[in-house]
C-alpha cells in the first residue's frame, strides 16, 4: 500500500474500529471523531467538531485537559481506567488511553482511545438473557408437543362416541370434551409457536408497521390513538414480512391492552449505527419503538415478561412477548423494554444487513 492509499483509507479504517477514537489539537479542541465515538457520546461529528474536550467528555472533575497537557509535556502515553464519562443521565464506564502526537513539522495533537467497559458487561448479560429465554421456550415447546398427540386422540374418540350416542343429553358431554379439546389445541399451537422456515425478502418496515397499526386500530377503542413518527429514509429490511407483522403486532396489541379505553401509542422508526446485538456488531440497525402512556409494566414482572407463560392479565396466556422475541431473534435482532408508569417503551432492533460480526 502506498502512503497515499493509507491516508485515503484511514477514516474508513477508523470508522470500523469498535473503540472510540478522538483527536484533539493542543488547545484541547476536537479535530476528529470516528463512528464508534459518535455512537458512544450519541452525537454527530458535525455537532461536536472544535468543541472543548472537557465539554465532550462531561467529566465532573474537569481534569481531562490537564491530562492532555501532561501527556504532551512528558511525551508519554497516559492510561486512565474506569472513568465515568458522558452526560449524568447516561453515564458510561470506560478506559481512556491518551497518546501525545509530537511529530516533527506537525502541530502537536492528542489522540484519545476509549474502550467502554460496561459494554462487555451488557453483551454478556444480553447473551445470558436470550439463552435463558430460549431454554424456557424449548421446554414449553417440548411440553406442547407431548400434549398435542394425545389431545388429537381424545378429540377423535369423543367425536366417534358422539355419533354412537342417541341420548341428546349425553351428547352435550361429548360436545364439551370436543370444545375444550379445541381450546387446548389452539393454546398448544401458540405454545409451539411459528415453525415454518423464514421466507426472507426485502421488506419495507413501514408497510409492516402500517399493517399492524390498522389491525390494532380496528380492535382498540376509539379513544386509543396510534401515532407515527417514521424516518422515511430507512432502507429495506431483509426479513419475513408475515412473521415481522406477527412479532410487532404482539407488542402493539399489548400496548393497546395496557392503555385500556383511552390512551396514546406511538410507533417510531430510526436508523442506528454500529449496534452490538449479542456478539455481533451491526453497521446499520433499524430501531422500532412502540411507546405507550399506559400504567406501565407491573412491578416485579419486568425481568420476566419475555419468558413464556408469564402474564399480568387475567385472560392473558403470556406467550405474546416470548414469541415476538423468538421471531426477532431469528432475524438477528433483539427486543428491549423500559417502563415507568405512564411511559412504556418496547424497542425492536433489526439489523439492516445480516451476516456482520
Ligand atoms: N405495554 C405494556 N404495558 C404494561 N404491561 C405490559 C405491556 N406489554 C406487556 N406487558 C405485561 O407483560 C405481560 C406479558 O405479555 P405477553 O404479551 O407475553 O403476554 P399476555 O399479553 O399476557 O398474553 P398473550 O399475549 O399471550 O395473549 C402482560 O401480561 C403484561 O402484564
Ligand atoms: Mg400479549
Amino acid at each position: 500500500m502506498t502512503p497515499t492509499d493509507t491516508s485515503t483509507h484511514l477514516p474508513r479504517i477508523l470508522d470500523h474500529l469498535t473503540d472510540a477514537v478522538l483527536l484533539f489539537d493542543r488547545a484541547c479542541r476536537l479535530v476528529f471523531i470516528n463512528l464508534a465515538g459518535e455512537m458512544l457520546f450519541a452525537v454527530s461529528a458535525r455537532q461536536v467538531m472544535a468543541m472543548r474536550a472537557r465539554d465532550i467528555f462531561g467529566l465532573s472533575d474537569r481534569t481531562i485537559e490537564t491530562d492532555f497537557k501532561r501527556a504532551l509535556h512528558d511525551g508519554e502515553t497516559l492510561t486512565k481506567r474506569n472513568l465515568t464519562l458522558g452526560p449524568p443521565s447516561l453515564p458510561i464506564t470506560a478506559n481512556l488511553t491518551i497518546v501525545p502526537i509530537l511529530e516533527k513539522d506537525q502541530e502537536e495533537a492528542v489522540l484519545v482511545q476509549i474502550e467502554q467497559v460496561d459494554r462487555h458487561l451488557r453483551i454478556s448479560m444480553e447473551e445470558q438473557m436470550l439463552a435463558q429465554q430460549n431454554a424456557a421456550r424449548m421446554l414449553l415447546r417440548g411440553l406442547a408437543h407431548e400434549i398435542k398427540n394425545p389431545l388429537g386422540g381424545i378429540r377423535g374418540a369423543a367425536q366417534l362416541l358422539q355419533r354412537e350416542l342417541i341420548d341428546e343429553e349425553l351428547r352435550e358431554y361429548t360436545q364439551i370434551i370436543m370444545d375444550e379439546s379445541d381450546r387446548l389445541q389452539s393454546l398448544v399451537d401458540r405454545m409451539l409457536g411459528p415453525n415454518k422456515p423464514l421466507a426472507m425478502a426485502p421488506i419495507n418496515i413501514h408497510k409492516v408497521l402500517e399493517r399492524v397499526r390498522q389491525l390494532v386500530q380496528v380492535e382498540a377503542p376509539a379513544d386509543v390513538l396510534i401515532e407515527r413518527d417514521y424516518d422515511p429514509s430507512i432502507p429495506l429490511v431483509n426479513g419475513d414480512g408475515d412473521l415481522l407483522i406477527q412479532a410487532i403486532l404482539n407488542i402493539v396489541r399489548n400496548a393497546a391492552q395496557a392503555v385500556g379505553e383511552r390512551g396514546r401509542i406511538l410507533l417510531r422508526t430510526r436508523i442506528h449505527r454500529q449496534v452490538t446485538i449479542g456478539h455481533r456488531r451491526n453497521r446499520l440497525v433499524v430501531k422500532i419503538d412502540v411507546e405507550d402512556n399506559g400504567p406501565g409494566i407491573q412491578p416485579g414482572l419486568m425481568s420476566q415478561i419475555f419468558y413464556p407463560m408469564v402474564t399480568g392479565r387475567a385472560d392473558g396466556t403470556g406467550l405474546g412477548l416470548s414469541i415476538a422475541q423468538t421471531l426477532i431473534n431469528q432475524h438477528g435482532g433483539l427486543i428491549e423494554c423500559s417502563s415507568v408508569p405512564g411511559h412504556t417503551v418496547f424497542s425492536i432492533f433489526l439489523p439492516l444487513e445480516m451476516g456482520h460480526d
Side-chain angles (χ1 to χ4, degrees):
M1 203 184 265
T2 64
T4 358
D5 279 336
T6 323
S7 59
T8 45
H9 286 300
L10 206 55
R12 272 182 46 209
I13 294 169
L14 289 168
D15 275 346
H16 278 88
L17 295 179
T18 35
D19 284 350
V21 175
L22 288 80
L23 188 72
F24 292 91
D25 65 14
R26 57 172 314 178
C28 301
R29 291 191 181 276
L30 184 75
V31 284
F32 174 81
I33 181 166
N34 72 345
L35 245 163
E38 291 178 67
M39 285 290 298
L40 189 73
F41 291 105
V43 292
S44 74
R46 216 161 17 89
Q47 280 172 336
V48 284
M49 208 44 74
M51 221 178 193
R52 294 283 297 250
R54 59 180 189 208
D55 297 326
I56 296 172
F57 285 85
L59 289 170
S60 51
D61 58 4
R62 306 269 154 135
T63 54
I64 192 78
E65 295 185 0
T66 323
D67 289 332
F68 285 8
K69 291 199 173 113
R70 204 167 89 214
L72 281 173
H73 179 264
D74 299 347
E76 278 178 11
T77 299
L78 216 120
T79 306
K80 307 209 89 182
R81 299 187 65 78
N82 292 326
L83 285 185
T84 306
L85 310 177
S89 57
L90 210 73
I92 46 176
T93 311
N95 295 335
L96 249 66
T97 310
I98 303 167
V99 187
I101 310 227
L102 302 159
E103 302 281 318
K104 252 196 185 161
D105 311 324
Q106 273 195 23
E107 291 240 345
E108 287 181 355
V110 181
L111 186 78
V112 185
Q113 186 184 339
I114 308 171
E115 179 205 10
Q116 193 179 344
V117 183
D118 42 14
R119 193 184 65 199
H120 301 300
L121 215 68
R122 200 194 117 213
I123 291 173
S124 57
M125 268 171 61
E126 228 168 57
E127 293 263 295
Q128 205 185 349
M129 184 190 80
L130 287 177
Q132 280 177 3
Q133 288 168 8
N134 213 19
R137 271 202 68 71
M138 293 302 285
L139 190 75
L140 197 75
R141 282 177 62 94
L143 185 70
H145 216 84
E146 288 303 311
I147 298 172
K148 204 176 162 78
N149 288 340
L151 193 61
I154 293 171
R155 198 199 186 281
Q159 202 168 2
L160 287 177
L161 188 61
Q162 193 172 44
R163 282 195 210 140
E164 300 297 319
L165 291 177
I166 303 154
D167 187 342
E168 264 309 308
E169 229 169 82
L170 291 178
R171 277 172 164 231
E172 257 178 44
Y173 294 123
T174 47
Q175 192 56 48
I176 291 175
I177 299 175
M178 280 156 59
D179 289 350
E180 290 299 288
S181 302
D182 288 344
R183 206 167 61 87
L184 205 52
Q185 179 73 48
S186 62
L187 174 67
V188 163
D189 285 342
R190 279 199 79 206
M191 281 160 82
L192 282 168
N195 61 352
K196 68 175 182 92
L198 297 191
M200 300 295 252
I203 308 273
N204 178 343
I205 199 66
H206 297 133
K207 284 210 173 131
V208 170
L209 287 169
E210 280 303 283
R211 179 98 187 99
V212 170
R213 194 176 69 87
Q214 283 165 358
L215 289 169
V216 178
Q217 192 75 79
V218 170
E219 301 168 356
D223 283 339
V224 173
L225 298 177
I226 308 182
E227 292 172 355
R228 295 162 283 180
D229 174 7
Y230 296 160
D231 173 354
S233 70
I234 291 176
L236 298 178
V237 179
N238 197 24
D240 183 318
D242 289 343
L243 297 183
L244 286 178
I245 289 178
Q246 190 183 341
I248 300 171
L249 183 63
N250 287 357
I251 293 171
V252 181
R253 203 171 254 158
N254 280 347
Q257 284 159 349
V259 297
E261 284 303 310
R262 161 187 294 268
R264 178 177 160 271
I265 298 169
L266 176 69
L267 308 177
R268 184 191 300 112
T269 57
R270 290 290 183 271
I271 286 269
H272 282 241
R273 285 186 284 177
Q274 308 289 356
V275 178
T276 310
I277 300 172
H279 274 302
R280 175 180 286 171
R281 193 161 76 100
N282 300 278
R283 207 170 63 81
L284 277 183
V285 162
V286 49
K287 181 170 178 254
I288 306 159
D289 287 333
V290 178
E291 279 187 24
D292 72 71
N293 64 353
I297 296 187
Q298 289 172 27
L301 214 60
M302 186 67 186
S303 59
Q304 301 154 36
I305 49 166
F306 287 104
Y307 287 96
M309 311 303 273
V310 171
T311 181
R313 296 191 298 115
D315 57 348
T317 51
L319 290 171
L321 286 177
S322 159
I323 292 171
Q325 183 73 284
T326 308
L327 293 174
I328 297 298
N329 278 170
Q330 286 172 350
H331 284 83
L334 177 78
I335 309 174
E336 279 182 354
C337 169
S338 71
S339 176
V340 288
H343 189 70
T344 298
V345 189
F346 279 84
S347 302
I348 304 159
F349 295 89
L350 272 180
L352 280 169
E353 298 144 351
M354 300 276 278
H356 282 263
D357 38 48

